C-alpha cells in the first residue's frame, strides 16, 4: 500500500506561480500575434460592445469575430477566416449605401470606423534615433537657407557671392572630411559653398554641427557685406564675367515675361527658322556665332538651347537671359512668335506649328516632314522625292503637305457613339472588336499592333495594322466597323473589300479560269490575248468562300488580286509567231 504524499504550502505556491507565469507568457505571445488592426478593433469593441463595427481597410469595409458571423447572415456574404482563424467578412466601400440600410433595418446598431493613418507595424511606432537626427538636420538646413535668402534675396538672375577666405571657416562633411570654405553663393533661393580647393558643397553634404556653426556666422557677415558693397541702386555682380552690354535685371525680367506670354502654357518651342546670328550670345568668345533651336519655359525663368560652328552634332549649349545681349531680346521674341503661330488649323480646331521639311542627318538626300500639333511633336514622315522638289519650289503648300502625310490629323474626329459603331456595310454587326500590341516574343508580328474581331461564334485572325490605320484608330477618324472592313474585309467576305482589285485597262485579259487541282487545291489563271496563259496560283479558303458561298467577289477581281504581276509580265513579252514553232 503506497502512501500519498501531499505537497506542502510552499510547493503549492511555487506550482501556482509557475503555472501563472506560463499562462501569462502564452497570453502575451497570443497578444503579440494579433495584428494592429485587430487590436484596434478589440479596443473599440470594449468601448462600444453593443455596436457592430465596420472598419474601413483600404477600399473595403471589414467586420471581425462575432460581428462578422452576424453580418454574414444579415447581408448574405461569405464568411472567411484570417491566418489566425479569426472570422471576418468584407465588402467594397461603394456597397456601403446598400449594406448599411440592411443592417439598420435588421435592428443592428452600426458604428463606422475610418482610418486616419495608414496602419503600420508595431515596430514602426518606435521612431529610430537616426530618423530624428535626419529630420532635425534637414530642419536646421532649411532654417539656415531661409535666413540667408531673407537677407540677400533669391537672386534669380545673378548670383550673390560672399567671400569667406578671410574668416577661415573650417567645416566637416557628412563623409567625415574637413574643408575650409572660400565663398558662399546664393542663386535662385539656394545656398551653396565652395571650398579653398574649388569643390562645390551643398548644405546636405555638411554635418549638422557645421550648419549650426555657419548659422552663427554667415547671416551677420552677409548682411554686413551687402550693406558695405551693394547700395539699393547697385546691382548684384553676376557670377561670371560679362561685357558692358550685359542686361539689367529689369530688362531680363521683362524679356522673360514677354517670352512666356508668347509661349502661353507651352513648355518648349522649336525654333526651326532661327539661323546663325553672330553676336546673339554675349557670354564667351567662342559663342559669337550661335544658332538657337529651342526655347524652354520653366518655373520663373526661360532658357535657350543651341550650338556654335564646330560643335559636335550631339552637343547642346544652354543660354539664359543674362547671357544674351539686350539688343537681341526683341528679335528672339519675334522668332518665338513665329514658331508658335499656327501655320494652319485642323477641322478639329487643333493648331499646327513648326511644320517643315528637313534632311536626314544620317542619310543624305532623304527628307522628312515634321510638325507639332497643339505643342506636341508628331512622328516625322518620309517625304516622296517628287514632293521634296515641289515643296522646295513652293509648288505645294504646308497645308497640302500636312494633309498628305498626316491625313488622319486633318480629318474630322468622330463622336464616341460614331466611333464605337460595329455595324458593317452589308448589315451584319461585329460582337467583338479589339486592338492590342503583340507582346509575346515567340509570336509572329511581335511589337506590332493587331486587330482581332468576332461575329457571333466566328473568330477572325488577328491582323497587323499599318501606320495609317493606327492613325485612323487613335485619332478616331474612322469607326471601328470601317477600320475592320479595311483590315479584315476579305476575312469578313465583304464585297467592298474586293472592289480595289482590277486588271490594268491597257492589258487585254480574255479569260480567267478557276479549277480544282489533283491534290484538291483550287487554282486560278488568266489568258492574255495573243500572249498565252499565266502560271496558275493557289487560292485561299477566304477567297473561295467569297467566290462560291457569299458570292461577294468575281473571278476577274480574284484574277487581278493573284495575277496582276504575271499578266503585266506576259503582256510585255514578244508575240509568239507560228514560223517560230518547233519542226519535227
Amino acid at each position: 500500500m503506497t502512501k500519498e504524499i501531499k505537497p506542502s504550502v510552499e510547493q503549492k505556491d511555487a506550482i501556482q506561480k509557475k503555472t501563472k507565469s506560463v499562462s501569462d507568457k502564452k497570453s502575451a505571445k497570443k497578444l503579440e500575434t494579433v495584428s494592429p488592426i485587430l487590436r484596434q478593433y478589440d479596443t473599440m469593441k470594449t468601448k462600444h460592445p453593443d455596436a457592430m463595427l465596420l472598419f474601413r481597410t483600404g477600399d473595403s469595409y471589414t467586420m471581425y469575430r462575432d460581428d462578422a458571423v452576424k453580418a454574414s447572415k444579415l447581408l448574405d456574404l461569405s464568411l472567411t477566416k484570417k491566418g489566425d482563424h479569426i472570422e471576418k467578412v468584407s465588402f467594397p466601400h461603394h456597397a456601403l449605401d446598400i449594406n448599411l440600410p440592411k443592417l439598420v433595418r435588421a435592428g443592428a446598431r452600426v458604428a463606422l470606423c475610418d482610418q486616419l493613418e495608414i496602419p503600420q507595424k508595431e515596430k514602426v511606432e518606435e521612431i529610430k534615433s537616426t530618423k530624428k537626427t535626419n529630420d532635425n538636420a534637414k530642419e536646421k538646413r532649411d532654417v539656415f537657407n531661409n535666413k540667408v535668402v531673407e537677407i540677400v534675396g533669391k537672386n534669380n538672375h545673378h548670383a550673390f557671392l560672399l567671400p569667406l577666405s578671410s574668416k577661415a571657416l573650417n567645416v566637416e562633411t557628412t563623409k567625415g572630411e574637413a574643408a575650409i570654405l572660400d565663398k558662399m553663393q546664393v542663386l535662385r533661393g539656394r545656398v551653396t559653398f565652395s571650398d579653398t580647393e574649388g569643390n562645390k558643397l551643398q548644405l546636405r553634404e555638411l554635418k549638422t554641427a557645421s550648419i549650426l556653426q555657419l548659422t552663427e556666422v554667415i547671416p551677420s557677415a552677409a548682411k554686413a557685406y551687402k550693406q558695405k558693397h551693394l547700395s539699393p541702386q547697385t546691382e548684384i555682380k553676376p557670377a561670371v564675367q560679362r561685357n558692358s552690354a550685359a542686361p539689367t535685371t529689369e530688362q531680363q525680367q521683362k524679356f522673360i515675361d514677354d517670352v512666356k506670354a508668347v509661349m502661353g502654357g507651352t513648355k518648349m518651342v522649336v525654333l526651326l527658322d532661327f539661323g546663325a546670328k553672330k553676336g546673339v550670345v554675349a557670354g564667351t568668345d567662342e559663342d559669337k556665332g550661335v544658332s538657337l533651336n529651342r526655347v524652354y519655359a520653366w518655373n520663373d525663368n526661360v532658357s535657350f538651347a543651341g550650338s556654335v560652328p564646330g560643335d559636335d552634332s550631339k552637343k547642346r549649349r544652354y543660354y539664359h537671359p543674362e547671357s544674351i545681349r539686350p539688343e537681341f531680346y526683341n528679335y528672339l521674341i519675334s522668332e518665338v512668335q513665329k514658331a508658335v503661330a499656327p501655320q494652319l488649323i485642323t477641322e478639329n480646331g487643333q493648331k499646327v506649328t513648326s511644320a517643315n521639311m528637313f534632311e536626314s542627318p544620317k542619310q543624305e538626300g532623304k527628307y522628312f516632314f515634321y510638325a507639332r500639333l497643339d505643342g506636341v511633336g508628331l512622328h516625322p514622315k518620309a517625304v516622296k522625292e517628287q514632293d521634296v522638289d515641289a515643296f522646295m519650289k513652293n509648288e505645294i503648300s504646308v497645308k497640302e503637305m500636312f494633309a498628305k502625310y498626316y491625313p488622319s490629323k486633318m480629318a474630322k474626329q468622330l463622336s464616341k457613339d460614331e466611333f464605337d459603331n460595329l455595324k458593317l456595310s452589308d448589315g451584319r454587326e461585329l460582337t467583338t472588336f479589339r486592338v492590342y500590341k503583340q507582346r509575346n516574343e515567340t509570336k509572329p508580328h511581335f511589337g506590332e499592333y493587331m486587330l482581332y474581331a468576332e461575329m457571333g461564334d466566328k473568330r477572325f485572325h488577328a491582323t497587323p495594322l499599318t501606320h495609317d490605320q493606327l492613325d485612323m484608330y487613335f485619332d478616331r477618324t474612322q469607326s471601328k466597323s470601317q477600320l475592320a472592313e479595311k483590315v479584315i474585309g476579305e476575312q469578313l467576305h465583304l464585297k467592298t473589300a474586293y472592289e480595289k482589285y482590277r486588271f490594268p485597262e491597257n492589258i487585254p485579259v480574255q479569260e480567267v479560269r478557276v479549277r480544282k487541282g489533283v491534290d484538291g487545291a483550287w487554282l486560278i489563271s488568266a489568258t492574255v490575248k495573243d500572249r498565252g496563259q499565266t502560271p496558275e496560283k493557289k487560292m485561299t479558303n477566304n477567297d473561295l468562300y467569297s467566290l462560291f458561298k457569299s458570292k461577294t467577289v468575281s473571278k476577274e477581281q480574284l484574277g487581278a488580286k493573284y495575277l496582276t504581276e504575271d499578266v503585266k509580265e506576259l503582256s510585255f513579252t514578244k508575240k509568239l509567231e507560228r514560223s517560230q514553232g518547233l519542226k519535227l
Side-chain angles (χ1 to χ4, degrees), residues 135-150:
D135 289 343
N136 292 338
K138 185 179 185 306
E139 183 180 349
K140 287 178 172 56
R141 290 198 302 269
D142 291 342
V143 169
F144 171 73
N145 192 93
N146 295 339
K147 198 168 186 178
V148 173
V149 170
E150 185 180 349

Side-chain angles (χ1 to χ4, degrees), residues 360-422:
S360 169
K362 297 181 180 179
Q363 188 175 347
E364 187 178 353
K366 187 171 184 178
Y367 287 83
F368 290 89
F369 185 73
Y370 169 83
R372 298 182 71 85
L373 188 64
D374 283 345
V376 179
L378 302 178
H379 186 74
K381 300 280 188 175
V383 181
K384 296 179 181 178
E385 190 175 342
Q386 62 269 26
D387 291 336
V388 173
D389 295 334
F391 188 74
M392 288 182 172
K393 295 176 182 177
N394 294 323
E395 295 173 357
I396 181 171
S397 66
V398 169
K399 183 175 181 179
E400 290 170 329
M401 285 285 285
F402 190 85
K404 184 170 185 177
Y405 290 97
Y406 297 104
S408 65
K409 305 294 182 186
M410 287 291 288
K412 188 169 180 61
Q413 217 173 49
L414 300 178
S415 67
K416 188 177 186 306
D417 291 339
E418 291 171 330
F419 177 68
D420 290 334
N421 179 32
L422 296 177

Side-chain angles (χ1 to χ4, degrees), residues 184-452:
M184 181 190 75
Q185 174 178 293
V186 182
L187 181 63
R188 298 187 183 94
R190 188 179 179 187
V191 178
T192 56
F193 292 93
S194 297
D195 64 14
T196 52
E197 295 181 1
N199 299 316
K200 190 173 182 179
L201 296 172
Q202 311 286 345
L203 289 180
R204 65 174 179 271
E205 297 179 72
L206 301 179
K207 281 193 172 181
T208 306
S210 296
I211 297 292
L212 294 174
Q213 174 193 350
L214 296 174
T215 305
E216 296 176 1
V217 177
I218 295 297
S220 57
K223 188 174 183 178
Y225 182 85
K226 185 177 180 181
Q227 291 174 346
K228 181 178 179 181
H229 297 277
L230 302 170
S231 63
Q233 293 79 25
T234 307
E235 284 189 46
I236 298 174
K237 294 183 179 179
V240 293
Q241 203 74 22
R242 306 262 181 230
N243 59 22
S244 58
T248 64
T249 302
E250 290 75 17
Q251 287 175 312
Q252 292 178 52
Q253 191 59 54
K254 185 178 183 306
F255 174 61
I256 291 170
D257 293 341
D258 290 344
V259 171
K260 293 185 77 172
V262 170
M263 293 176 67
T266 307
K267 298 297 182 185
M268 189 272 286
V269 171
V270 179
L271 305 173
L272 289 177
D273 296 331
F274 192 97
K277 290 286 180 180
K278 291 200 173 184
V280 171
V281 175
T284 55
D285 292 337
E286 65 266 21
D287 289 351
K288 290 301 183 183
V290 67
S291 177
L292 302 179
N293 48 42
R294 277 175 172 79
V295 57
Y296 300 90
W298 46 278
N299 297 334
D300 54 357
N301 211 334
V302 296
S303 59
F304 292 83
S307 59
V308 297
D311 275 352
D312 182 85
S313 59
K314 295 181 180 179
K315 183 175 181 179
R316 185 172 291 173
R317 299 170 184 252
Y318 292 91
Y319 305 95
H320 300 285
E322 65 265 27
S323 59
I324 300 174
R325 294 220 305 267
E327 62 262 33
F328 287 98
Y329 279 1
N330 290 335
Y331 173 72
L332 284 173
I333 292 171
S334 67
E335 288 296 315
V336 177
Q337 282 177 327
K338 285 195 292 183
V340 300
Q343 299 192 31
L344 64 103
I345 299 176
T346 68
E347 286 193 45
N348 302 306
Q350 294 172 298
K351 297 177 182 178
V352 179
T353 59
S354 306
N356 213 328
M357 187 175 65
F358 65 92
E359 187 175 12
S360 169
K362 297 181 180 179
Q363 188 175 347
E364 187 178 353
K366 187 171 184 178
Y367 287 83
F368 290 89
F369 185 73
Y370 169 83
R372 298 182 71 85
L373 188 64
D374 283 345
V376 179
L378 302 178
H379 186 74
K381 300 280 188 175
V383 181
K384 296 179 181 178
E385 190 175 342
Q386 62 269 26
D387 291 336
V388 173
D389 295 334
F391 188 74
M392 288 182 172
K393 295 176 182 177
N394 294 323
E395 295 173 357
I396 181 171
S397 66
V398 169
K399 183 175 181 179
E400 290 170 329
M401 285 285 285
F402 190 85
K404 184 170 185 177
Y405 290 97
Y406 297 104
S408 65
K409 305 294 182 186
M410 287 291 288
K412 188 169 180 61
Q413 217 173 49
L414 300 178
S415 67
K416 188 177 186 306
D417 291 339
E418 291 171 330
F419 177 68
D420 290 334
N421 179 32
L422 296 177
K423 196 170 185 178
L424 301 172
S425 57
D426 62 356
R428 293 180 296 164
E429 192 165 349
L430 297 172
T431 52
T432 299
F433 178 97
R434 189 160 63 96
V435 172
Y436 67 95
K437 190 172 185 178
Q438 180 57 268
R439 301 187 184 278
N440 190 338
E441 297 184 12
T442 62
K443 298 277 188 179
H445 308 295
F446 167 69
E448 296 184 63
Y449 281 91
M450 312 289 287
L451 186 149
Y452 171 79

